[in-house]
Amino acid sequence: MKNYIFDLYGTLADISTDESTPRFINKINRHFSADNFFDEYLNACKYFETGAEFCEIDLLKVFEKILSCHEAEALRAAQYFRRKSRSRLKVYRGVRALLGKLKQCGKKLYILSNAQACFTDVELDKLKIKKHFDGVELSSDFGRKKPCKDFFLHILQKYRLDPAETVFVGNDIESDICGAKSVGLETAYILSNLSPESDSVEKAVRIADFATNSFEDLADYLLSL
């Protein structure tokens, strides 16, 4: 294999966020000096929903709308919102070593993630793995999310990747594995702490080319391709 496309959260990075707690909501309302800021946020999210299948909104536009501000101010607000909702962010053990070895072998590495650019660009820097990747494609920029077939085709076409020489790695059977299979990619599945509750290795092996709950085994497989 020449090309490796990874999902990010739940595959390479372990993260925990919670926007539902009263403590978080009160903190956000106080920070933005509005008793109902969080309600305005939820309403603005609904405003940008198109109803299209696999629609993904851009949260930066949500903050621009609520605050009636320019992009730079909206970006700071969005990143504050994310920081206060996040309690954990780290790479899984073995991730940096795997990425480094793949690059040493001359492989091209990419990220295709259901994620928000206004959050993820900063978090990739914090995770210290961005340098390994030849391209990062996020659903908030594309406007649709996995398992949308067009999202997978987008990354293949943008970077001129041959599906026969490309493997997709993810932790979600429906979004990652089925989505990648729809465009003819080889797939590798990792059952992680962030995988859907309905997922299992037993279910994944019937769809993916490789499935495991061990990142060490996943790394060995990817390095053998």
Side-chain angles (χ1 to χ4, degrees), residues 82-99:
R82 176 69 159 193
R83 287 198 306 273
K84 294 306 177 181
S85 72
R86 190 181 66 221
S87 59
R88 183 176 71 251
L89 177 67
K90 61 182 181 180
V91 294
Y92 291 109
R93 190 171 74 173
V95 164
R96 292 194 184 94
L98 170 62
L99 298 178

Side-chain angles (χ1 to χ4, degrees), residues 17 19 24 32 37-38 40-49 55-67 69-71 73-79 81-82 85 114-120 123 138-143:
T17 63
E19 300 173 1
F24 169 75
F32 292 103
F37 182 88
F38 190 76
E40 291 182 30
Y41 165 78
L42 294 178
N43 289 334
C45 288
K46 293 177 183 177
Y47 173 84
F48 285 103
E49 286 281 356
C55 169
E56 180 75 292
I57 66 173
D58 183 350
L59 286 181
L60 186 61
K61 297 185 186 303
V62 169
F63 282 93
E64 287 176 346
K65 177 177 173 59
I66 302 172
L67 299 172
C69 64
H70 295 299
E71 183 176 309
E73 183 180 346
L75 182 61
R76 288 192 294 270
Q79 291 174 352
F81 186 94
R82 176 69 159 193
S85 72
N114 289 348
Q116 293 290 322
C118 58
F119 303 154
T120 304
E123 290 177 346
L138 306 176
S139 57
S140 68
D141 292 328
F142 187 68

